[in-house]
Amino acid sequence: MVEIKDFMFTPMTLTVAVGTTVTWKFDDSTQHTVTADDNSFASSPMSNGQTFTHTFSAAGTVAYHCSIHPEMTGTITVK
Ligand SMILES: [Cu+2]
């Protein structure tokens, strides 16, 4: 689970096993997105209380950001 609050992804870096479904929980006063830098997944703009999930089926490191606030970044490492 990654929480999106105060314009930050927490934790910013997360390591999961192949096949893990990661949930992002939106808990902020403004909308954000979860958008992979390589566009392998992307949410629409989501509001407080919503969630987005993505299943990571291949090993590797995926950087992501918020398309509305590009300074918000995070990384998922899949092993
Ligand atoms: Cu944002």
Side-chain angles (χ1 to χ4, degrees):
M1 164 90 75
V2 177
E3 187 171 31
I4 303 167
K5 190 173 185 178
D6 297 333
F7 292 83
M8 284 182 60
F9 296 105
T10 305
M12 283 182 70
T13 63
L14 183 66
T15 300
V16 299
V18 171
T20 299
T21 299
V22 175
T23 300
W24 285 263
K25 183 173 188 296
F26 294 77
D27 185 13
D28 211 346
S29 55
T30 190
Q31 289 189 321
H32 299 291
T33 76
V34 175
T35 305
D37 290 7
D38 64 3
N39 287 315
S40 56
F41 58 88
S43 76
S44 46
M46 302 187 91
S47 301
N48 185 29
Q50 294 187 286
T51 58
F52 173 75
T53 61
H54 180 74
T55 301
F56 292 86
S57 53
T61 300
V62 181
Y64 65 93
H65 61 279
C66 169
S67 65
I68 303 168
H69 312 102
E71 70 277 13
M72 292 174 60
T73 61
T75 303
I76 305 290
T77 299
V78 185
K79 291 187 174 178

